[in-house]
Amino acid sequence: GSDSSGEQAGAMISEVEAGSPAAKAGLAADDVVVGVAGRKVGSMTDLVAVITTTQPGDKVSLTVLRNGQERTLEVTLGSAS
């Protein structure tokens, strides 16, 4: 869904650190994460809340929107730095 501002729900990725688990999974800047492990993500707060319930080394599926296309990426989480 989208709200009146035209923004869509989800967590916009502003940058992806080279060599990070996100980069290895294929996540790119400007991707919008709309789901993690089957849970809807409406904002960056939601994304952080879901990620904090996981352990380093866990594999999670991220549903992302890239150029209007939905895709699913498998990410193996690293440790928080």
Side-chain angles (χ1 to χ4, degrees):
S2 58
D3 60 29
S4 57
S5 70
E7 293 284 314
Q8 73 193 60
M12 167 74 80
I13 304 301
S14 55
E15 64 178 330
V16 175
E17 201 174 309
S20 69
K24 289 178 185 152
L27 201 62
D30 296 330
D31 281 354
V32 178
V33 179
V34 294
V36 178
R39 292 196 224 169
K40 250 175 134 56
V41 171
S43 66
M44 189 56 80
T45 307
D46 290 349
L47 178 59
V48 171
V50 174
I51 296 296
T52 57
T53 67
T54 63
Q55 300 295 316
D58 281 359
K59 205 170 191 165
V60 297
S61 60
L62 294 184
T63 305
V64 302
L65 290 175
R66 181 180 298 163
N67 303 323
Q69 301 292 308
E70 194 170 281
R71 57 183 70 200
T72 302
L73 305 174
E74 291 291 327
V75 180
T76 302
L77 300 172
S79 52
S81 49

